[in-house]
Amino acid sequence: MTASSVTPHARTPDERLAAEIARLLRPQRFPSRRDLELAGVAGEGAGAYAFYDAFWLPGRILALGAAQIRRGGTTGALRASALHRLLRAALALQVEPVETLALAESAYAAEFPGDDFDLAFATLDPATGRFAGTGRGHYCLSVGAQASKGEGLLPEGSVLWLAVGARTLKAVAAEAPEFGMDDLAARLGEASPPGAALVGVTLRSLKRKGAHDFAIPNDLAAIAGLVSDIEATLSREEVPEMVGAALGLALDELLTNTVSYGYPDSGWHEILVDLEVTPGCVDLTVRDDGRAFDPLQSPEPDLSGEIEDREVGGLGIHFVRTLADELSYARERGWNVLRLRKRFAPEAALDSSGG
């Protein structure tokens, strides 16, 4: 997902500060995923401030949101920042959409009485295509250009759109993302009123057997749970226990390095892990939007020296190299993408389980 925005040239200190707040509010860029694609745009009109958002909830549920504050400049940007946090907190409770809206409205009104705003949000389960959402003010929730009643199933290849600053979407919303969601969202944004914001998601394909997606925040405390989930998934996919344990150790090393050294801004980020198991093979892909870092360029550790003299993290990366049958790195759309392939003899799964 490309975090794009349309903002006028900032000249005064107030405008420059508002522009910086706008930059900080832009959501994390989404890498290419096999199951879905997202894109959004936000514009700043006279006397209005808008943003959009997309993030993952527990249970691999995708949350989408868009809002417009009817104030401009730093005041509008600061209130948009507050609403952004309120919406994320309310969605994290994973209650019914009407209750989520009531929580966000009451909390915002307590801090900014009399302020009006437009809001739309929805949650989507990519595994089933089921979505639910609602909003207030000038907003639109639709599948293609067809307005939704607030819940339903998103067909594969269709786009779920959320928009604020407009009650209906132009005909371009009905088009399939033939040239990608970035292109479609940009054209829809150009056709929308000034100050509008929108975000859309399309399901690319149904889940394939053996394909699994995971996500964690850049928090060291979250790593153990993810590694445990992946090891359990590998076991269910009948991957030999020793292979699963080794992959778990390698993943722990990679994630620990990423969380510890990859984020100089100390902000909230999401790390995505894709797992695909086919007969005799495990493919593991780790994506993060931290600072660019290719672990394959790290020098081989000096195994002859004393342990205390060795470079931190060197042995872990050496272990990953040794474990993998194939290992590659790329920097894609602002994300580090590390792909690891491990082959195994399928019959080894039976041997390891005592079968």
Side-chain angles (χ1 to χ4, degrees):
M1 179 178 72
T2 299
S4 61
S5 62
V6 181
T7 37
H9 179 67
R11 295 186 177 88
T12 69
D14 182 77
E15 288 173 332
R16 290 199 298 271
L17 182 57
E20 178 62 15
I21 296 172
R23 186 189 67 80
L24 294 174
L25 273 180
R26 292 173 194 165
Q28 180 188 31
R29 290 174 59 92
F30 271 63
S32 297
R33 292 176 60 100
R34 59 177 164 234
D35 55 342
L36 57 84
E37 185 181 3
L38 299 106
V41 294
E44 185 176 336
Y49 187 95
F51 70 85
Y52 67 94
D53 196 15
F55 64 100
W56 291 98
L57 295 169
R60 303 175 201 169
I61 302 298
L62 179 66
L64 303 169
Q68 183 187 70
I69 304 292
R70 293 173 190 164
R71 288 176 179 267
T74 305
T75 299
L78 287 173
R79 298 190 181 195
S81 180
L83 182 57
H84 175 267
R85 291 179 177 273
L86 282 174
L87 180 59
R88 282 204 167 201
L91 284 167
L93 298 178
Q94 293 185 282
V95 296
E96 292 297 316
V98 172
E99 187 175 351
T100 301
L101 178 61
L103 288 169
E105 285 180 321
S106 61
Y108 187 87
E111 292 297 321
F112 309 110
D115 249 25
D116 200 9
F117 62 91
D118 302 323
L119 176 66
F121 62 86
T123 57
L124 170 70
D125 182 352
T128 65
R130 183 164 294 280
F131 68 88
T134 188
R136 57 161 285 164
H138 292 81
Y139 81 96
C140 179
L141 177 64
S142 69
V143 176
Q146 182 66 42
S148 169
K149 295 181 179 179
E151 61 181 24
L153 289 173
L154 178 63
E156 181 182 345
S158 297
V159 181
L160 174 65
W161 291 108
L162 279 73
V164 292
R167 295 186 185 275
T168 59
L169 294 178
K170 299 297 183 180
V172 66
E175 296 181 18
E178 182 179 358
F179 300 103
M181 283 295 294
D182 287 345
D183 170 77
L184 190 57
R187 290 194 291 118
L188 185 56
E190 290 172 357
S192 300
L198 60 92
V199 60
V201 57
T202 184
L203 297 180
R204 282 177 159 169
S205 61
L206 297 177
K207 203 75 151 151
R208 298 193 304 274
K209 178 176 171 55
H212 308 271
D213 301 319
F214 303 85
I216 61 167
N218 54 323
D219 182 350
L220 290 173
I223 294 175
L226 174 65
V227 171
S228 178
D229 287 346
I230 286 182
E231 289 180 347
T233 301
L234 291 170
S235 178
R236 289 193 298 271
E237 293 285 352
E238 300 183 345
V239 174
E241 183 178 352
M242 291 184 62
V243 174
L247 286 169
L249 285 173
L251 182 61
D252 190 298
E253 171 65 25
L254 292 170
L255 294 176
T256 298
N257 282 346
T258 297
V259 174
S260 299
Y261 309 114
Y263 300 102
D265 63 359
S266 301
W268 186 94
H269 295 263
E270 194 168 47
I271 303 170
L272 305 178
V273 179
D274 296 341
L275 176 69
E276 185 162 2
V277 182
T278 53
C281 184
V282 177
D283 287 303
L284 191 67
T285 303
V286 181
R287 295 179 171 92
D288 71 83
D289 70 337
R291 71 173 80 201
F293 173 66
D294 180 0
L296 306 187
Q297 298 301 315
S298 299
E300 292 286 348
D302 180 6
L303 301 180
S304 63
E306 297 295 331
I307 293 178
E308 57 270 19
D309 295 331
R310 296 173 189 168
E311 183 179 353
V312 176
L315 286 178
I317 293 173
H318 174 70
F319 170 73
V320 173
R321 284 195 186 112
T322 303
L323 168 72
D325 292 306
E326 297 179 26
L327 195 61
S328 66
Y329 167 84
R331 183 75 175 176
E332 300 177 357
R333 299 181 65 192
W335 286 68
N336 296 305
V337 182
L338 187 72
R339 295 180 173 91
L340 182 156
R341 171 168 288 181
K342 178 64 179 176
R343 299 185 181 89
F344 63 90
E347 60 271 17
L350 294 177
D351 296 339
S352 68
S353 63

